[in-house]
Amino acid sequence: MKDELYQGEVNEDKYIEWRDERVMDEIGWYGWHIDYWMEDGLMRDYFDHKVTTPEHWALLRRPEKYTYGELQWDVNVCEDAVAEDPLPLSYDELCETEVSRGCSPIAVISGERLMSPERGYAEHRKIATVLNETDGAKDFLVPEEAWDCLYDVVVRDNPNGTAPGLSGDYIDYRSRAGTDDEHKHPLSTRMLQKMAAQLTRLVTKYSAYDPETGIDWPSYQTAVDLVDILNEYLLEVQEELDANPDAVFPHAPHHDWTIYPVCGASIRSAWDYNYPGQEAMYPPADGFEWLEGGR
C-alpha cells in the first residue's frame, strides 16, 4: 500500500463526477469537523451546524443509510419548541471512552505552514512540544536541540519529498507529479462562495465569546491559531473568486429534495447551506419533479 502513496495520476472524469456530487456537502462537513473537535464532541447538525439531539446525531453518523431529507435538522427537531426551550448540550460519549485526553485539541497545526521552509519550524515545534509531554512518546524523542535539524532533513533540505539517510523510505506529497498550479482542478463560483461563507462563519465564531456554549474562544490559544490559519484560507478563496468571478457550471448535489419539518413550516426545499437565491419555487417549474425526503 505504501508503494502507491502519492503515486499515479488523478482520473479527471472521476474527479469531476466526485466534485459535482460531493464538494458542496463536503464544505459543510469541513465546518462540522472543526466544530466537533474544538467543542469537545458537541453534537451538531452538519448541514447548518445547529446543536442537535443524540437521536438525530445517531442518524447523522449513518449517512449511507438515511436519505438527505431524513437527516435534516428540522425533520428531527421541532424548531418552534427549541425557540422556547433551547436543546441541552449533548456530547459524544466517545470523547470520554475512546480519546485519552478528550476531543478538545491540544494544538492546531497548519499543514501548509508545516511544509513551508520559512514557517515550518514553528509548526514542527508545536508537534514536538506535544509529543514531549505525552507518555509513551516523550521517551523516544530526540533532544530539543535537534528538533530543527530533524526538520531540515525531512522538509527544508528535501524539496522532492523523499528524504535520504536515516529517514529511511520517507515520502510525502511533494514527490508526486502534477501538484503544481497547472494541475489545479477547477471549482465553480458556487463552491468558492460556499467555502468563503463557511470560513467566515468559523472565523467569526472562534474569534469571540460564544453564548451558546459559554466558551470565550479568544482565551484559548488553539482558537487563536485556528482563526489565524482560517483567515489565510479565506484570503486564498477570495483571491480565486476575484480571479474567476464567472466560473459557473452546472452541478448538483441536492436541488430536488422536499423537506417536511416536524413542526413550523409545512414544507420547504433543501439546497446548499447558507447559499441564498437557490431556493426552489413552489409549485415546481414545468418538467421538474420533487423527490420526497424527510418522512
Side-chain angles (χ1 to χ4, degrees):
M1 190 68 180
K2 182 180 181 301
D3 293 339
E4 299 178 5
L5 187 62
Y6 302 119
Q7 305 300 313
E9 294 289 335
V10 174
N11 182 300
E12 191 70 17
D13 291 338
K14 291 293 184 182
Y15 166 76
I16 291 174
E17 181 181 351
W18 174 88
R19 177 198 64 191
D20 294 352
E21 174 62 24
R22 290 298 315 156
V23 164
M24 295 298 281
D25 279 349
E26 292 295 333
I27 297 167
W29 276 94
Y30 176 88
W32 175 87
H33 180 85
I34 290 175
D35 285 338
Y36 176 86
W37 292 104
M38 290 296 291
E39 296 180 312
D40 201 23
L42 178 60
M43 295 182 181
R44 289 188 180 276
D45 165 44
Y46 57 68
F47 293 102
D48 51 21
H49 312 292
K50 294 178 180 178
V51 169
T52 195
T53 64
E55 294 76 19
H56 183 209
W57 176 263
L59 271 61
L60 291 167
R61 300 293 289 148
R62 299 288 304 278
E64 78 285 355
K65 181 177 180 179
Y66 299 99
T67 68
Y68 193 81
E70 289 173 313
L71 296 176
Q72 298 292 315
W73 183 83
D74 56 359
V75 172
N76 294 273
V77 179
C78 178
E79 186 169 10
D80 292 347
V82 170
E84 296 291 332
D85 185 18
L87 291 175
L89 303 182
S90 300
Y91 293 84
D92 189 350
E93 63 181 15
L94 294 179
C95 290
E96 291 187 8
T97 61
E98 302 297 326
V99 185
S100 60
R101 297 189 186 181
C103 289
S104 295
I106 300 170
V108 175
I109 309 296
S110 163
E112 293 84 359
R113 293 181 184 181
L114 180 64
M115 302 307 291
S116 165
E118 294 78 24
R119 309 173 74 182
Y121 291 110
E123 298 301 291
H124 179 69
R125 281 184 166 272
K126 283 186 189 178
I127 298 172
T129 299
V130 170
L131 293 176
N132 203 36
E133 298 170 352
T134 303
D135 292 338
K138 61 185 179 182
D139 295 334
F140 299 93
L141 258 63
V142 297
E144 183 175 353
E145 56 266 26
W147 290 356
D148 290 350
C149 178
L150 178 62
Y151 180 82
D152 290 341
V153 171
V154 176
V155 179
R156 196 196 69 173
D157 298 336
N158 171 33
N160 296 321
T162 52
L166 295 178
S167 56
D169 54 357
Y170 170 87
I171 186 173
D172 66 45
Y173 74 92
R174 295 172 299 170
S175 67
R176 182 175 188 166
T179 58
D180 53 31
D181 287 345
E182 292 183 6
H183 291 80
K184 288 180 66 175
H185 299 289
L187 297 173
S188 76
T189 301
R190 283 183 59 228
M191 293 172 179
L192 292 169
Q193 286 177 331
K194 188 175 181 183
M195 288 179 182
Q198 186 67 253
L199 289 167
T200 299
R201 180 190 76 83
L202 292 166
V203 166
T204 301
K205 174 176 179 174
Y206 293 107
S207 297
Y209 171 79
D210 184 355
E212 187 174 43
T213 60
I215 299 175
D216 181 32
W217 288 115
S219 67
Y220 287 76
Q221 186 60 46
T222 50
V224 172
D225 290 346
L226 175 65
V227 168
D228 189 39
I229 293 167
L230 294 180
N231 268 322
E232 285 194 0
Y233 294 163
L234 185 55
L235 286 173
E236 291 175 5
V237 170
Q238 191 59 53
E239 286 176 359
E240 189 163 352
L241 269 171
D242 293 342
N244 302 283
D246 300 317
V248 179
F249 46 82
H251 54 79
H254 304 289
H255 63 282
D256 51 2
W257 283 100
T258 303
I259 305 302
Y260 300 93
V262 293
C263 64
S266 61
I267 187 173
R268 70 172 177 83
S269 61
W271 195 253
D272 299 316
Y273 164 72
N274 201 24
Y275 192 81
Q278 297 298 318
E279 298 82 4
M281 297 179 62
Y282 296 96
D286 293 341
F288 185 85
E289 295 183 359
W290 291 112
L291 297 180
E292 182 174 314
R295 299 168 296 147

